[in-house]
Amino acid sequence: MSSDTITEPATTAAGDPAEPKVVPTRHYARWAAGAAVVVLVAQFVHGLATNPVWEWHVFRDYVFSETIVQAVWVTLQLTAYATVLGFLLGTVLAFMRLSRSPVLSTVAWTYIWIFRSIPMIVQLVFWFNLSALYRELGVGIPFGPVFWSVDSNTLIGTIGAAVIGLTLHQAAYAAEIVRGGVIAVDHGQLEAAAALGIPRLRQIRRIVLPQAMRAILPTAGNEIVGLLKGTSVVYVMSIGELFYQVQVIYGRNGRVIPLLLVATAWYVVLTSVLSVAQYYVERRYARGADRTPPPTPLQRARRFVTKEST
Amino acid sequence: MSAVMVDVHGVHKNFGPLQVLRGVDLTVRAGEVTVVLGPSGSGKSTLLRTINHLEKVDRGWISIDGELIGYRRSGNKLHELKEKDVLKQRTHIGFVFQNFNLFPHLTVLENLVEAPVSALRRPRRDAEETARRLLERVGLADKTGAYPRQLSGGQQQRVAIARALALEPKVLLFDEPTSALDPELVGEVLDVIKDLARTGTTMIVVTHEIGFAREVADTVVFMDGGVVVEQGPPSAVLDAPRHERTRAFLSKVL
């Protein structure tokens, strides 16, 4: 009995040539690099904690202060408006550019050409100074009498000018992103939809766009994150968004570094939230693309902990 | 003799300098199955695509059940129809593609329901009921909630056939329905098409399956170089072809 338990593993491990033992590759360099990274990170964190320049108490005082939280809210609003309006206009422009009508495609091409050519900051200053260019905006017969007009400053306002500027700029880029997604959809899909007699708009909304989303989303995510931080250029219009307020505060008290940290922290947090949202939106549009959808990070973590094999 | 369902008259089609169709005439009567054979590049697929106006013809005309496709006639002029009206005409013409072209982001049931609801404005509930019945008919009643990529090629093509039937078309066009399939899956798709033939569906089938043509076709059409070389019952065209080109083709594929 006892001799059995000793000899049996010995035969399978060494004695049976048909079942050789697998020795996994040893990654010595990986371990060394890992150790080096740990040291570097430790140094950096140690510096953050001990170097007095960062002035963490100032950071603490300001990070949730009313002014800053309000400024974050303005940043979020500008981002949301410019994203939604920019992508709506961009989607329309994309389909205009793909349209068989030469008028529509030329108009869209020209729009994209112009608004990609003008730096956003220049465009914003133009909108900010719209009243200098056109004091009044009105409706009437072209080159003829005007029936109704309004002072351009009262119509638009500073925030309005910022939203218009960001939107028009964003739309040009969004148009190209959406167009890229649409032309990536298999041509057979449109043929099948046309052969079934599905109305044109419905073809776009129900068949083409959902499939185009797979290609649109990663780049669109990039654009939205870029826009979130890009809203900081509206500081030229003295709008109280995050970067502008931080500048105002350190202009007053001279604590430049901790206040820039405040802005950085908020931008990082907001970008992280957007990235997580992007992951789940992408997952939703991947329906039907794979036989079995990939696990969410949460499911993956749980599986890692419970050691289930994938 | 039953009424003429599909009438193709003197159809020409060029792609740039390439003449793909050079005057094709074809008549298909209601309830008949027409199988179109021919070497690749002979224009069979293009002919099929002109019938539902996926390709515009350069000369000639096509009518289905007496209605001109893609044009409106007034006096001696043909006016091009708007896309909206062409789309409406296509709901009478079922089309089955070589590569299935199912909508991969929609479930099998949604694939079948989409066109009846959006093009024919059927109530969703009725469309779903019809869809389930059709899926049962092609032997896929248990796959309503599956996505197309979860199915085998043969299953996908059967779903595609059911999708075309969901509009209750007057005629069904098949563009090499089994060419993208593994050999062992061809049979299940051909069985579905044979079943449709038995129940009197008007069909035009472009295929390379000679055995299928012999068994199912009322008329076999042999095309080469953009023209119909000969046509007739399978016994005539397949067993006693009159033209040298038909004989040469059959000797290669049989």
Side-chain angles (χ1 to χ4, degrees), chain A residues 100 186 188-189 191-200 202-203 206-207 210-211 287-292, chain B residues 49 52 54 83 87 90-91 93 95 97 101-106 110 114-115 118-119 147 149-151 163 167:
Chain A
R100 269 166 295 200
D186 178 19
Q189 291 292 310
E191 281 202 333
L196 286 164
I198 297 170
R200 185 88 181 122
R202 178 85 180 173
Q203 288 181 20
R206 178 76 166 159
I207 308 299
Q211 295 187 62
R287 271 178 324 172
D290 297 308
R291 292 192 170 202
T292 47
Chain B
R49 292 162 58 86
N52 78 343
L54 279 179
E83 190 182 6
L87 286 169
R90 289 210 187 103
T91 59
I93 313 165
F95 200 101
F97 294 89
N101 288 342
L102 292 175
F103 305 129
H105 60 301
L106 303 180
E110 289 167 337
E114 178 56 35
S118 68
Y147 286 99
R149 291 212 176 104
Q150 294 167 328
L151 305 178
R163 182 175 71 171
L167 289 165

Side-chain angles (χ1 to χ4, degrees), chain B residues 127-249:
Chain B
E128 281 185 7
E129 206 173 293
T130 312
R132 282 178 211 282
R133 213 185 54 237
L134 287 168
L135 286 171
E136 200 164 321
R137 184 165 175 190
V138 299
L140 294 168
D142 54 332
K143 299 290 185 190
T144 51
Y147 286 99
R149 291 212 176 104
Q150 294 167 328
L151 305 178
S152 73
Q155 290 172 328
Q156 289 191 48
Q157 193 60 298
R158 280 145 66 199
V159 172
I161 294 170
R163 182 175 71 171
L165 287 170
L167 289 165
E168 293 166 17
K170 295 176 178 170
V171 54
L172 262 182
L173 311 177
F174 292 86
D175 187 9
E176 303 199 24
T178 58
S179 296
L181 297 176
D182 290 339
E184 80 268 25
L185 301 177
V186 169
E188 63 186 66
V189 172
L190 292 183
D191 285 344
V192 169
I193 303 175
K194 283 177 203 165
D195 176 58
L196 291 172
R198 269 195 294 275
T199 53
T201 315
T202 313
M203 295 192 276
I204 303 177
V205 187
V206 169
T207 185
H208 291 294
E209 301 287 333
I210 305 292
F212 169 81
R214 195 187 301 275
E215 189 180 342
V216 181
D218 295 300
T219 308
V220 173
V221 173
F222 176 72
M223 280 184 74
D224 195 12
V227 291
V228 173
V229 174
E230 71 177 290
Q231 58 178 310
S235 56
V237 178
L238 297 177
D239 300 330
R242 282 175 294 135
H243 281 80
E244 184 47 45
R245 279 191 284 177
T246 318
R247 271 196 290 272
F249 174 76

Side-chain angles (χ1 to χ4, degrees), chain B residues 2-7 27-31 63-66 170-171 202:
Chain B
S2 54
V4 172
M5 183 55 87
V6 182
D7 197 359
T27 308
V28 178
R29 294 185 176 279
S63 73
I64 289 185
D65 204 10
K170 295 176 178 170
V171 54
T202 313

Side-chain angles (χ1 to χ4, degrees), chain A residues 227-242:
Chain A
L227 184 63
L228 172 77
K229 291 171 297 175
T231 54
S232 57
V233 309
V234 307
Y235 84 90
V236 297
M237 305 163 87
S238 319
I239 290 173
E241 51 73 52
L242 186 53

Side-chain angles (χ1 to χ4, degrees), chain B residues 82-110:
Chain B
K82 293 212 164 117
E83 190 182 6
K84 203 178 98 193
D85 300 313
V86 175
L87 286 169
K88 205 167 286 168
Q89 290 188 325
R90 289 210 187 103
T91 59
H92 301 305
I93 313 165
F95 200 101
V96 176
F97 294 89
Q98 181 175 350
N99 297 317
F100 332 134
N101 288 342
L102 292 175
F103 305 129
H105 60 301
L106 303 180
T107 63
V108 166
L109 191 71
E110 289 167 337

Side-chain angles (χ1 to χ4, degrees), chain B residues 60-72:
Chain B
W61 49 262
I62 293 161
S63 73
I64 289 185
D65 204 10
E67 190 184 350
L68 217 51
I69 296 299
Y71 297 92
R72 182 172 49 80

